[in-house]
Amino acid sequence: MDLINILPDSVANQIAAGEVVDRPASAVKELLENALDAGATKIQLIVKDAGRTLMQVIDNGCGMSDSDARVCFERHATSKIHKADDLFAIHTMGFRGEALASIAAIAQVELKTKTRENELGTQVIIEGSQIKEQSSCSCPDGTSIAVKNLFFNVPARRNFLKKDTIELSHIEEIFKRVALINYGTDYSFYSNGKLLYDLHAGNFAERISQLYGTNYRERLYPIDEKTDIVSIHGYVSKPEFARKSRGEQYLFVNNRFIKHPALSAAVEKAYADVIPDRYYPSYFLHLELDPARIDINIHPTKTEVKFVDEHALFAILRAATKKALGQFSLGNELQFNPIEEVDFLPPPKDYVPQQPNVRYNPDYNPFTNPTPQSNTSNGGFHNSNFEVDRPKSSKWTSFFDTDDRQAPQTHLDSLPSEEESIATPQPQVMAMRQMEGEAQPTTDSPCLQLQGRYIVSTLPSGLLLVDQQAAHERVLFERLSSRQHAAAAQQLLFPVNCQFSPADADIFNELIPDLKEQGFEVGALGQTTFVVTATPPDLNDGELQQVFDQMILDYKGSMLQKFNDSRTCLCRSLAKQMAVKAGTALQQAEMQQLIADLFCCQVPSVSPSGKKTMVVVDPATLF
Ligand code: ADP
Ligand code: MG
C-alpha cells in the first residue's frame, strides 16, 4: 500500500511559515523590508495589541500590478532574483519569495496596492492561504498590507506569544534595526493608536539621535575607514559610556542588520584595556562590501552571515575601532558630523593590518576619581600597545563605589544593620539546619578574605568557604523580597531623570508599584521620561539609569524564561546590582555580618541566580 502523499500547499505553507514567522516581530520585519525593497521613501507601521490583532505597513513604493498582487502570496514568488547566480549579487533585503506566502498561511491578510501607471489599485483578501476576494479599488500609489489575527488558525502558536509589553519590545527592536540603517526613509510607528516614533530621512548620525535622543551623540566617536575589502562607517561609544549589559550593539552589512559573534568580538576587543571586565561598548557600524564575498543565505531569518574574508574583516574592524578610540581619547574636539577623511590607505588583498600603537592612560577609570597609583609622571599617558595584558583594578568591580576612601563603609552600609537584619531564623529553618548537622557560626568566628572574593571561616563541623558576592546577593534578595510594606525612602537632593525607549517605558511603568515598595519614588514626565525623587537608602543615585536599564533587561529576560512575577524579578535584579562584588576588600566586621545574615536566610546555600554561596569542608574527610 502506498503511504506517501504530497502535502497540499496550504499545509506546506503553514509548516514553512514556522521558519519565517515565529512571532509578530518577524512578520513586521518582512513587511518593512518589502516596503524598502519597493523603493518607499515613507513607511508607516501600525500595530494593535503588540501585533496580535493587527500589523499594517503602508508604503509609497512601486506597488504591484493586478496579477502580481495575487501571485505575491505564492511560495517562491519573488521579483528580486531570477537565477541561482543572482544569489551572489543580492542588493535587496528579501529574495526568497517566502515571506508573504508564510504570513498569508497563518493570518488574515488584506493587501491594497497600486502602481503609478495604473489608475486603479487592487485589493486582495487572503486567509489561511485561501484567496477570499480580489477586486479593484481606489488607493494611493504604493502598497498597504494589513496582517490581522496572527496565528488565527494555529492556536498552539498563538498561545506561545508573550505578554504584549514583551512582544511590542521585540517589534520595537526590529523597527530600530530596520530604521537605523535605512536612514534615508521617513517612518512613523503607531502602537494602539499612540505614535511611538516619527522619524525623518537624514544621515546615520541623525537617525541615531532621532531614536536615542540628541544627547546620545555625545556618547559616540565616529569611525570612517575604507579598504579595498570593506568600508566601515558608523559610531562607537566612548569608553566612559560602556554599560554592564550589551545594550545598543548594531552591526549592519550592506544595509542589513546582522549578528556575527566574531565581528562583535573584534569591536569589543578594541576596548579590552579601556573599559572594565563585563562592561560593554555600544556601537552602530555599517560595513559595506562586495555581495559576492558574503553568504547571507544560511539562516531563514537572515541575521547570520558568512564572510569569505572573515579574518581580514576582524583585523580591520578591531584596528579601526582602536584607531577611533585612540584618536579621540587624546582630547581632540569631536564633531559628531562627518570629520575629515582619515588617511587609511587600502591594504593589498592578503594584508593583515598591524595593531596601531596608541597612547592612552591605562589607569583611566571613567567611574572613579583619579587614583594615587595612576601614572602622572608623563601626564597620565604611556607609550603603550593596547595588547598589554594589564591586571584589572579591583575598583572596576565595585559598582556602587563613588569614593575610594569611603568604599568599605559603603559596603557596610549595604549590609543590613543590626536592627534591620532578620535576627532569628525561623524555627523550621533552624530545625532543618540542625538536622543537617549544621549550626550557625558564632558571630565572632574570625574570618579571612581569600583572593578578594571568598570568605574563610569556621563552623563546628569544619571549614566554611563563602562566595562573598553570591552570599550578599542571597541576603539582599531575601531582605528585599520579604518586605511587607514600603521600605524607607531616601529623598534625593536633586531629582534624577531617567529616559527609556517607548517599549521599555511601558515595562518600567509596570514595575513602578514594585519599585515603590522598595523605597523608590517615581513620577512620569511625559511618555518616556521619569523623574526619581527618592531611592532606597543604600543605592547610589548616580547610577540610576544604569540600574533601571539593567532591571528592564533582566525583566525581559526572565519573562522569556521561567519567572513571571515582576516583584521577584525586580528583587533579583536589584540584589544582583547592589551586591558587593568579587574583588572588593571586606573588613572583619563586614565578613562576620555577612555570614551571620546568610545563615538567617531561608535558602542560604544558593544565590537567587542559582550560584552556590558556600561550601563546608570537614577536615576529617581530607586526612
Ligand atoms: P521576497 O521579498 O523575498 O521577494 P516576499 O514574499 O516578501 O518575497 O514578497 C514577494 C514579492 O511581492 C516581492 O518579490 C515583491 O515583488 C512583491 N512585494 C511584496 N511586498 C511589496 C511591497 N510592499 N511593494 C511592492 N511589491 C511588494
Ligand atoms: Mg520580502
Side-chain angles (χ1 to χ4, degrees):
M1 188 176 73
D2 296 337
L3 297 175
I4 299 178
N5 58 53
I6 305 287
L7 291 173
D9 271 357
S10 59
V11 179
N13 280 342
Q14 217 181 81
I15 295 170
E19 293 267 296
V20 184
V21 183
D22 55 348
R23 60 179 354 139
S26 30
V28 167
K29 170 177 181 282
E30 297 296 336
L31 298 180
L32 290 174
E33 290 186 348
N34 280 347
L36 287 165
D37 284 344
T41 56
K42 266 190 192 345
I43 297 178
Q44 218 179 329
L45 167 64
I46 300 166
V47 302
K48 286 214 172 95
D49 305 321
R52 230 179 274 267
T53 32
L54 175 73
M55 293 170 272
Q56 184 173 15
V57 171
I58 305 170
D59 67 56
N60 65 351
C62 63
M64 282 181 264
S65 69
D66 291 356
S67 67
D68 279 358
R70 199 181 175 95
V71 173
C72 70
F73 293 108
E74 302 279 331
R75 204 130 60 94
H76 310 304
T78 180
S79 54
K80 298 168 195 174
I81 56 172
H82 295 99
K83 52 189 191 303
D85 278 353
D86 295 345
L87 279 174
F88 303 98
I90 301 260
H91 292 282
T92 51
M93 309 289 283
F95 56 88
R96 294 165 166 263
E98 273 175 348
L100 291 184
S102 299
I103 293 171
I106 45 157
Q108 298 159 336
V109 180
E110 257 177 55
L111 163 72
K112 281 187 182 170
T113 186
K114 180 174 115 49
T115 59
R116 275 173 202 91
E117 307 81 64
N118 286 350
E119 281 291 298
L120 275 180
T122 313
Q123 166 167 303
V124 176
I125 296 178
I126 177 165
E127 281 183 24
S129 303
Q130 306 291 316
I131 295 203
K132 299 280 173 194
E133 193 187 316
Q134 176 162 15
S135 54
S136 296
C137 69
S138 64
C139 58
D141 291 345
T143 303
S144 155
I145 301 190
V147 177
K148 296 180 180 168
N149 302 320
L150 187 69
F151 301 135
F152 80 104
N153 53 353
V154 208
R157 308 274 313 273
R158 204 175 165 86
N159 294 339
F160 268 106
L161 293 178
K162 306 285 176 199
K163 287 175 60 167
D164 279 7
T165 39
I166 300 292
E167 293 299 343
L168 185 64
S169 74
H170 283 286
I171 294 180
E172 194 190 358
E173 180 58 27
I174 289 293
F175 174 78
K176 281 186 190 165
R177 289 176 185 176
V178 171
L180 264 169
I181 198 61
N182 297 287
Y183 41 77
T185 304
D186 290 348
Y187 301 82
S188 48
F189 175 5
Y190 293 85
S191 165
N192 293 338
K194 193 164 89 178
L195 180 62
L196 295 189
Y197 290 97
D198 189 17
L199 311 178
H200 301 283
N203 59 27
F204 198 8
E206 285 162 346
R207 183 49 52 87
I208 294 172
S209 298
Q210 289 170 355
L211 284 168
Y212 297 96
T214 351
N215 294 344
Y216 200 88
R217 291 173 168 222
E218 289 154 23
R219 301 186 180 191
L220 304 174
Y221 288 144
I223 289 192
D224 268 293
E225 299 291 0
K226 270 195 176 58
T227 72
D228 65 350
I229 300 177
V230 62
S231 78
I232 306 174
H233 167 62
Y235 301 90
V236 295
S237 65
K238 296 179 186 175
E240 61 267 41
F241 291 105
R243 298 207 307 193
K244 291 188 92 186
S245 56
R246 285 191 168 84
E248 291 86 46
Q249 297 196 330
Y250 292 96
L251 209 53
F252 302 96
V253 169
N254 295 355
N255 288 318
R256 190 187 295 278
F257 171 85
I258 61 147
K259 282 192 181 144
H260 197 285
L263 291 190
S264 303
V267 180
E268 288 184 1
K269 279 209 154 148
Y271 283 83
D273 270 30
V274 291
I275 61 177
D277 267 353
R278 282 175 279 127
Y279 274 71
Y280 302 95
S282 305
Y283 50 83
F284 303 85
L285 292 171
H286 188 200
L287 278 55
E288 284 174 289
L289 57 162
D290 179 358
R293 309 202 56 87
I294 316 175
D295 182 359
I296 49 176
N297 197 17
I298 56 174
H299 191 272
T301 52
K302 294 169 283 188
T303 53
E304 278 144 36
V305 294
K306 277 191 199 154
F307 297 101
V308 178
D309 310 299
E310 185 175 320
H311 288 295
L313 280 176
F314 181 95
I316 294 170
L317 192 55
R318 183 165 63 156
T321 310
K322 278 185 176 176
K323 187 174 167 190
L325 294 175
Q327 206 169 32
F328 294 110
S329 65
L330 295 178
N332 291 2
E333 254 330 291
L334 168 74
Q335 305 127 333
F336 191 87
N337 278 320
I339 52 159
E340 302 150 42
E341 278 291 317
V342 279
D343 55 329
F344 195 84
L345 291 176
K349 269 246 159 26
D350 307 325
Y351 172 79
V352 177
Q354 297 290 312
Q355 307 302 339
N357 254 347
V358 187
R359 298 194 327 139
Y360 74 109
N361 174 1
D363 290 317
Y364 171 60
N365 178 341
F367 302 93
T368 60
N369 292 329
T371 55
Q373 71 266 37
S374 63
N375 183 347
T376 44
S377 57
N378 57 358
F381 290 111
H382 289 199
N383 254 333
S384 168
N385 189 293
F386 268 104
E387 292 304 298
V388 174
D389 203 2
R390 185 175 57 85
K392 297 276 187 293
S393 154
S394 66
K395 280 183 294 303
W396 288 123
T397 53
S398 51
F399 181 44
F400 285 92
D401 282 2
T402 44
D403 183 328
D404 287 344
R405 281 156 296 142
Q406 286 176 4
Q409 202 49 47
T410 315
H411 298 306
L412 195 57
D413 285 350
S414 61
L415 294 172
S417 65
E418 287 293 273
E419 311 84 70
E420 218 183 334
S421 62
I422 314 155
T424 19
Q426 295 173 354
Q428 68 272 35
V429 181
M430 278 305 273
M432 197 182 75
R433 270 185 217 130
Q434 271 150 16
M435 270 163 52
E436 285 171 355
E438 207 53 86
Q440 227 184 321
T442 53
T443 30
D444 52 1
S445 304
C447 294
L448 193 80
Q449 197 178 19
L450 192 69
Q451 297 169 352
R453 57 190 305 177
Y454 303 111
I455 303 170
V456 186
S457 186
T458 56
L459 286 177
S461 57
L463 186 71
L464 172 69
L465 274 168
V466 172
D467 178 325
Q468 66 188 44
Q469 184 173 344
H472 197 201
E473 256 187 65
R474 162 57 56 193
V475 170
L476 290 171
F477 173 76
E478 292 209 3
R479 201 149 59 95
L480 295 168
S481 54
S482 68
R483 274 190 185 142
Q484 299 295 332
H485 45 84
Q490 171 184 283
Q491 294 299 320
L492 298 180
L493 206 53
F494 302 105
V496 177
N497 284 0
C498 293
Q499 208 183 1
F500 305 97
S501 66
D504 283 357
D506 282 352
I507 292 181
F508 188 72
N509 251 323
E510 277 183 21
L511 291 174
I512 286 181
D514 293 309
L515 286 168
K516 287 195 167 146
E517 232 178 291
Q518 298 302 340
F520 289 91
E521 276 173 30
V522 186
L525 278 185
Q527 283 178 6
T528 55
T529 310
F530 296 81
V531 57
V532 183
T533 49
T535 66
D538 35 22
L539 200 67
N540 178 351
D541 57 273
E543 312 274 9
L544 278 178
Q545 177 80 50
Q546 219 167 3
V547 168
F548 291 146
D549 284 347
Q550 182 63 43
M551 191 179 284
I552 291 170
L553 213 68
D554 289 343
Y555 181 69
K556 286 184 198 167
S558 62
M559 294 320 260
L560 292 177
Q561 294 162 16
K562 50 197 163 166
F563 300 100
N564 274 315
D565 162 4
S566 61
R567 182 188 156 113
T568 308
C569 167
L570 182 133
C571 294
R572 276 163 56 98
S573 180
L574 268 182
K576 193 167 81 192
Q577 298 194 62
M578 289 164 69
V580 65
K581 299 295 179 289
T584 310
L586 294 180
Q587 291 174 357
Q588 192 60 225
E590 292 171 301
M591 293 191 278
Q592 286 170 338
Q593 185 67 60
L594 178 57
I595 292 177
D597 291 337
L598 180 65
F599 276 79
C600 290
C601 284
Q602 302 269 355
V603 192
S605 54
V606 283
S607 77
S609 35
K611 204 163 174 264
K612 208 189 268 188
T613 57
M614 62 171 148
V615 177
V616 181
V617 184
D618 176 0
T621 61
L622 300 177
F623 298 101

